[in-house]
Amino acid sequence: MTMNEGQINRQLSQVSEDQEVNRKQRWQLEELEEDCQRLSSQHQEYLADVLQFNEEEDIRQYFSLEEDEVTAAHKKNFFELEEQKDALYKESKQLLVAEEELLQARKDQLFENTKEKEKVDGT
């Protein structure tokens, strides 16, 4: 069963909208990743300064533990960001495939319409 041209065009329009949403989400995710990277670096520098310039053992021990926790949290955040980026990339690829399939279906439909018109016209 073939789709009519209107259905194909509506689906192509939806795919285009989905692609735009995907692009915006990837862009926002890249900005978030840059912000996280910057904040992570600032926090690491702060903790390093606190540890370097503080001579009280209790405070140094506290901030050493804090540094370990923060490092683990940053790693987790970056892992989650990477997973989101991968999911958006996969979705982007799927949308491209869907677009190509719909374009091919539209091309096939136009070809069929041309063949039908030629039969009717007797040429």
Side-chain angles (χ1 to χ4, degrees):
M1 178 177 196
T2 61
M3 294 184 277
N4 69 37
E5 193 173 347
Q7 289 174 313
I8 294 170
N9 287 335
R10 281 190 294 279
Q11 288 180 354
L12 274 169
S13 178
Q14 184 61 49
V15 167
S16 291
E17 290 175 21
D18 292 346
Q19 286 173 323
E20 184 60 28
V21 168
N22 182 280
R23 277 190 287 276
K24 285 180 182 178
Q25 288 175 334
R26 284 186 286 147
W27 177 73
Q28 291 170 341
L29 199 58
E30 287 174 10
E31 283 189 335
L32 179 61
E33 187 175 32
E34 288 173 10
D35 290 345
C36 286
Q37 191 72 18
R38 182 180 47 80
L39 291 172
S40 176
S41 295
Q42 288 175 348
H43 197 252
Q44 293 289 7
E45 289 172 13
Y46 170 76
L47 287 175
D49 286 347
V50 167
L51 290 172
Q52 181 179 1
F53 296 113
N54 201 319
E55 294 183 13
E56 291 183 40
E57 187 58 35
D58 290 344
I59 292 175
R60 289 177 58 87
Q61 185 176 5
Y62 171 80
F63 279 104
S64 289
L65 293 173
E66 187 72 20
E67 183 177 29
D68 292 341
E69 288 180 29
V70 168
T71 300
H74 287 303
K75 285 181 182 180
K76 180 182 177 208
N77 287 339
F78 288 122
F79 178 75
E80 289 172 356
L81 285 171
E82 197 62 37
E83 283 183 327
Q84 291 174 358
K85 281 174 39 178
D86 288 345
L88 287 171
Y89 177 74
K90 287 176 185 175
E91 179 184 326
S92 174
K93 286 178 70 174
Q94 290 171 343
L95 289 168
L96 284 173
V97 167
E99 181 181 41
E100 290 173 6
E101 289 172 353
L102 288 167
L103 289 171
Q104 184 61 46
R106 184 169 63 183
K107 184 178 175 181
D108 294 344
Q109 184 67 40
L110 290 172
F111 179 72
E112 287 296 319
N113 291 346
T114 302
K115 278 178 48 176
E116 288 296 319
K117 188 171 189 285
E118 288 175 356
K119 283 182 185 178
V120 170
D121 292 343
T123 53

